[in-house]
Structures are given as C-alpha cells and as structure tokens.
Amino acid sequence: ICNNDLLFNDTFFRRLSKRNIKGNIMALSPSVKTINGVYQNPSLLKKPSKFRFLGYRIYYSNYFLGKIILNIWRLFGLGIDSNYTKDKVEKEIFIGIGAIFILLPNFFHKNECLDYPLFLYGEEAFFSAQLAKSGGSLFYVPDIEVIHLESVTTKKIPSKKNYLLNKKAFIMSKDFYR
C-alpha cells in the first residue's frame, strides 16, 4: 500500500521478490528517500522515550508553540527532514514512514483489513498499533528503496490544517506511543 507520489525502479521489484520473510513479521518498510535526499525510514526505531513523548504532547498543545518547537528540532537536526544518512541495517522497527508499507501474507492471516480511522495523517501509528495488536511486527529493509516526491497531495493543505490533522491523529494514537 503506498502513496501516489512514489517512484519505483526495477530493482525494487527484483529485490522484493527474492525476500523470504518468516516469523511474526507482517509488513516490510522499505528505504524511502525524498527528491531532496532525505531518508524517511525508519521513522521510529523503538517507542519514544518519556522525554520525546512529552515533546510530542507540548508540540500538539498549541499550533504556534508547535511551530517554534519544530524550528528548534530542525535547528538541532532532529526534524523528520534532517536525515541525509541512510540506515543500512535490516531490523524490526516501531514505526515506518506511512508513504509505503508492503503487507505480507502473515498480515492477512490475522487481519481482515487495515484499521485506519483517519484520512491522510497518522497512518504510521495506526498501522504499527494494528500490527502489535495482531502479534506482528514491521521490518525495515534498506536494500529495497523508493523515491518519495513528498506530499504531492498534502502540500496544498495550509500548514495550520496540516497541524490540526496531525494533532487529531496523535490524540487518537497517543496510547500506542506510551
């Protein structure tokens, strides 16, 4: 399942077809690189620390405060748009970027459909929570890569509306982060 703003090359499909994933892994999360050279995966390797979770809560408490926090995160290279180094190690991850997930047969053995109550935002957390509830996990695969044209759909939404949609997703999924 993926966004409409991804570019695939033939190595994506060749490498994917050679994978033999077993165990509790229900989905793959490939390497996702933006056209600006930012690597978006893995989004979160493990559950956020209490300090980071507090940062999320403060960020989502007020739009203007959130803008200030986002600028500070970016200043220190902590923003999602700051990772120019590819993680080259395969591993189970907590959350992947929502632009693409490769659902494996194991997912469908335990789930009939995707549990996603919103549109456009929060899909990463909702999906990872669904995997966890099903006893499964998400596996990052760096040798399978896509290019993300980054927000072709959502770029036209005003930033405050983006913020409010993300805030709603966070509020609905915050228990999963704890």
Side-chain angles (χ1 to χ4, degrees), residues 113-125:
C113 61
L114 291 171
D115 181 17
Y116 183 56
L118 294 179
F119 180 67
L120 290 178
Y121 292 98
E123 66 274 9
E124 300 93 345

Side-chain angles (χ1 to χ4, degrees), residues 1 26-27 43-44 60 94-98 101 103 107 111 113-134 136 138 164-177:
I1 53 173
M26 293 186 175
S43 186
L44 272 176
Y60 287 118
F94 183 63
I95 291 181
I97 189 74
F101 292 113
L103 305 181
F107 174 82
N111 298 278
C113 61
L114 291 171
D115 181 17
Y116 183 56
L118 294 179
F119 180 67
L120 290 178
Y121 292 98
E123 66 274 9
E124 300 93 345
F126 294 117
F127 183 64
S128 290
Q130 182 177 7
L131 294 179
K133 287 177 194 169
S134 302
L138 180 61
L164 293 173
L165 290 168
N166 273 304
K167 178 180 181 175
K168 183 176 183 179
F170 174 74
I171 289 168
M172 292 176 74
S173 63
K174 68 182 176 189
D175 289 340
F176 177 62
Y177 287 101

Side-chain angles (χ1 to χ4, degrees), residues 30-43 79-88 97 140 142 145-147 150:
S31 175
V32 178
K33 183 179 179 182
T34 68
I35 54 175
N36 298 330
V38 173
Y39 287 94
Q40 297 180 303
N41 248 344
S43 186
I80 59 171
D81 53 357
S82 303
N83 190 10
Y84 291 93
T85 305
K86 181 177 183 171
D87 185 335
K88 297 179 182 177
I97 189 74
Y140 169 66
E145 187 170 285
V146 297
I147 302 298
E150 186 82 274

